[in-house]
Amino acid sequence: MFSKRSVVQICGFVFFFVVVHYAHGDLSYSVLEEQKRGSVIGNIAKDLGLEVGRLSARKARVDMEGSDKQYCGVNLRSGDLFVSERIDREEHCGEKPSCVLKFDLLLENPLELHRLSLQVQDVNDNAPIFPKDIIKLEISESAIKGAKYRINAAQDADIGKNSVQSYILQQNPHFVFNIQTTSAGRKYGELVLDKELDREEQQEMKLLLTAVDGGSPQRSGTVVIHVIVLDANDNAPVFTESIYTATIAENSPIDTPVITVSASDADEGVNGEVTYEFSRISDKSQTFFSLDEKSGEISVAGNIDYEEGSKYEVFVEAKDGYGLSSEAKVIIDITDVNDNAPVIYLKSLTNPIPENVSPGSEVGIINVQDRDSDSNRQVRCSIQQNVPFKLVPSIKNYYSLVSTGQLDRELVSDYNITISATDEGSPPLSSSKTVQLSVADINDNPPVFEEQSYSAYVSENNKAGSTLCSVSARDPDWRQNGTVIYSLLGGEVNGAPVSSYVSGERRHGGDPRCEVV
């Protein structure tokens, strides 16, 4: 499935003779999660109207926003967008009904940036899982027909039809199982008493409950409901709030209190004693938070990183002494602190560059990423040294490295350009990267004789081959550009060509001088 909304804008801005091209187009694709590496998603060349042959020349590539991983790649020979790393919808989007990954499609020469959206479709790769292997219920024999006992729903990381669709309770003479939905849309189960219990007849029973999803192939999970028949307990605990909210900073020390939930029970004695436990919590959240079963206090149990997750939802169950319970939702928001320094990436570099390159020419592309949020991820980039180069902000978090003056290899043949990036956090964090750039020689210097004129005095009737004088010229250019070749200019002596009297020879052994003989 493919849909495209393309808006192309081309804007030219002249800064010190630099023209920055900006192009923007949106591409949308859809792919099933867990596809094999190399699976074709779509053809960006066709969808953008680009010539396939230009993709390689323009160094087409795809970067994911806020991640170093390359989940998608571009086949530069065909223009196909393909899967390059395993894509797990649950890892990226959890329980969100829609999972869209954002990428940057980057083209160079000129620099263009296209936004690419990848809709990741769910496959049934997760089975339903109950929070516990055994659910213990203590039910009074005086309970009347129709009494209901809440059972926490099974969790399935998949969505839609691939999530839990039905429950099957093992056949028994006393209970049936019904599914209920809260006003918030969350499902839970109820064990309903269909025939009164008789403790003297049966003191306990174990029922197998199976949760089944709607995927193909179908997956299931089971839990054992252990029913112990007791005497009266007719009030369940009641929380002071149905939803609790709390906010803590990332990197909060272990044992930092987050929030305390509280429930009361109108019963007396053991029937009114309330204990707390997590009824629904992800594996990830379980490493970050702990719950005191007596006080209801939730505390930090691990190192929390805002960049790994900015919000967590857990469900707490309050249970009295004989198994009646109620549930409350706890929403924990994580606030960002400036704990990530900017990272500088050298995306492209022309090296070496000719010494006659025009001021304002683009010689490299720099990309800066900061995993923090808000002002903590706002980054300023600069070049500190006195070099004939500068950074020009381009698209998004990209910078063009451009020349600002005339280069001369004979004066400076290599540059070590240090790029610094500093965020706007408090305190600010910085990083730097050194770019090595060489200057290529251009034949821009003529040979220069050591003397403006040479004089030689010779006796007449010298033998042929006798040395008259030596001349020497030097050229500061490199290699063949600096190699000097000597020749005699045409002229006459007493009406005869000068070449009939003298000739020039270069000395052997690399000596730059020339002998006139």
Side-chain angles (χ1 to χ4, degrees):
M1 180 181 67
F2 169 77
S3 64
K4 179 173 80 172
R5 175 175 60 85
S6 179
V7 179
V8 179
Q9 300 174 330
I10 301 177
C11 302
F13 302 89
V14 180
F15 300 104
F16 298 95
F17 307 100
V18 180
V19 179
V20 177
H21 296 281
Y22 176 80
H24 179 169
D26 288 347
L27 295 176
S28 297
Y29 296 94
S30 178
V31 66
L32 290 175
E33 66 170 330
E34 307 293 352
Q35 289 291 295
K36 293 181 179 179
R37 289 179 174 87
S39 299
V40 176
I41 299 171
N43 191 286
I44 61 172
K46 177 181 176 182
D47 298 331
L48 287 176
L50 297 174
E51 294 181 10
V52 175
R54 293 288 297 157
L55 294 179
S56 179
R58 297 188 67 185
K59 302 179 182 178
R61 58 185 177 274
V62 173
D63 292 334
M64 183 178 182
E65 292 185 0
S67 176
D68 294 336
K69 291 186 177 180
Q70 298 295 324
Y71 291 101
C72 296
V74 179
N75 187 323
L76 300 181
R77 293 189 297 274
S78 64
D80 287 336
L81 180 69
F82 63 90
V83 176
S84 60
E85 282 194 33
R86 172 177 175 265
I87 301 176
D88 184 3
R89 188 202 67 81
E90 289 74 31
E91 175 185 347
H92 293 284
C93 300
E95 296 180 357
K96 293 181 181 178
S98 176
C99 184
V100 179
L101 305 184
K102 299 293 185 179
F103 297 87
D104 290 336
L105 172 61
L106 187 68
L107 300 171
E108 297 182 15
N109 192 24
L111 179 63
E112 291 183 18
L113 184 67
H114 298 270
R115 287 193 295 268
L116 190 152
S117 299
L118 185 61
Q119 179 83 34
V120 181
Q121 302 294 331
D122 185 50
V123 299
N124 192 29
D125 57 343
N126 293 279
I129 299 175
F130 286 92
K132 294 183 177 182
D133 295 331
I134 298 178
I135 298 174
K136 183 178 179 181
L137 292 179
E138 297 177 332
I139 302 176
S140 171
E141 62 178 337
S142 62
I144 61 174
K145 181 179 179 178
K148 300 175 182 180
Y149 304 93
R150 184 187 182 107
I151 304 295
N152 292 317
Q155 303 177 46
D156 192 325
D158 296 317
I159 60 173
K161 69 177 184 179
N162 294 329
S163 63
V164 178
Q165 300 297 313
S166 62
Y167 291 83
I168 302 171
L169 180 66
Q170 174 187 347
Q171 266 195 328
N172 68 94
H174 292 285
F175 296 95
V176 295
F177 192 78
N178 291 334
I179 297 297
Q180 302 292 338
T181 304
T182 67
S183 58
R186 182 169 180 266
K187 292 183 178 180
Y188 65 94
E190 285 183 343
L191 193 65
V192 181
L193 186 63
D194 192 49
K195 179 184 177 183
E196 288 81 3
L197 300 170
D198 186 350
R199 184 176 180 276
E200 287 68 36
E201 178 182 334
Q202 187 175 10
Q203 295 184 5
E204 63 179 349
M205 63 188 72
K206 293 182 179 179
L207 308 175
L208 185 67
L209 177 64
T210 302
V212 181
D213 67 23
S216 179
Q218 202 170 53
R219 296 175 181 267
S220 62
T222 60
V223 66
V224 173
I225 302 176
H226 184 194
V227 178
I228 300 175
V229 183
L230 300 173
D231 287 322
N233 179 28
D234 54 357
N235 288 286
V238 178
F239 279 97
T240 56
E241 305 285 344
S242 59
I243 298 177
Y244 293 85
T245 60
T247 301
I248 59 171
E250 66 170 327
N251 296 336
S252 293
I254 292 176
D255 294 332
T256 298
V258 178
I259 194 172
T260 298
V261 298
S262 178
S264 58
D265 192 310
D267 293 321
E268 296 181 351
V270 175
N271 292 336
E273 293 179 359
V274 179
T275 58
Y276 303 90
E277 62 183 39
F278 288 123
S279 59
R280 183 180 180 190
I281 183 170
S282 67
D283 292 340
K284 189 175 184 180
S285 299
Q286 202 161 21
T287 65
F288 296 147
F289 305 105
S290 63
L291 173 63
D292 188 301
E293 66 174 8
K294 294 185 179 293
S295 67
E297 181 181 76
I298 298 175
S299 304
V300 175
N303 296 323
I304 301 174
D305 189 352
Y306 174 88
E307 286 69 41
E308 295 294 331
S310 60
K311 177 181 289 189
Y312 295 93
E313 293 183 359
V314 300
F315 292 85
V316 177
E317 182 182 37
K319 182 184 295 186
D320 65 21
Y322 287 124
L324 293 183
S325 63
S326 60
E327 186 181 70
K329 182 178 182 180
V330 181
I331 301 174
I332 304 171
D333 290 309
I334 311 301
T335 58
D336 184 45
V337 298
N338 192 29
D339 58 348
N340 290 281
V343 180
I344 302 171
Y345 297 96
L346 180 62
K347 292 294 186 179
S348 178
L349 183 66
T350 301
N351 194 19
I353 57 173
E355 61 180 321
N356 65 344
V357 67
S358 300
S361 298
E362 181 180 84
V363 299
I365 296 174
I366 303 298
N367 178 245
V368 183
Q369 300 283 347
D370 192 310
R371 297 183 64 214
D372 293 314
S373 64
D374 301 327
S375 61
N376 292 333
R377 70 177 301 172
Q378 300 301 316
V379 179
R380 301 185 305 275
C381 287
S382 62
I383 297 174
Q384 301 299 328
Q385 310 111 299
N386 184 20
V387 293
F389 299 95
K390 70 173 182 178
L391 289 176
V392 177
S394 185
I395 303 169
K396 202 176 178 182
N397 49 355
Y398 287 86
Y399 294 80
S400 294
L401 180 63
V402 299
S403 61
T404 59
Q406 191 66 50
L407 305 179
D408 189 342
R409 189 204 66 83
E410 287 69 46
L411 294 178
V412 182
S413 60
D414 294 281
Y415 291 93
N416 287 325
I417 304 170
T418 300
I419 299 171
S420 298
T422 303
D423 63 29
E424 295 185 3
S426 180
L429 299 178
S430 301
S431 63
S432 63
K433 188 179 189 68
T434 299
V435 177
Q436 295 180 335
L437 197 60
S438 297
V439 181
D441 184 53
I442 299 296
N443 192 22
D444 57 350
N445 291 281
V448 177
F449 280 98
E450 292 181 353
E451 303 290 343
Q452 292 185 350
S453 64
Y454 293 84
S455 297
Y457 299 92
V458 298
S459 300
E460 63 179 335
N461 298 325
N462 277 349
K463 292 181 180 181
S466 299
T467 299
L468 300 182
C469 70
S470 295
V471 298
S472 179
R474 296 186 181 273
D475 190 316
D477 289 320
W478 180 248
R479 291 185 178 175
Q480 69 269 21
N481 292 336
T483 300
V484 178
I485 300 174
Y486 300 87
S487 62
L488 291 173
L489 298 178
E492 293 184 352
V493 176
N494 295 328
V498 69
S499 60
S500 64
Y501 293 99
V502 295
S503 63
E505 292 184 356
R506 181 181 177 89
R507 286 194 176 188
H508 296 293
D511 196 318
R513 288 180 291 174
C514 176
E515 292 183 343
V516 180
V517 298

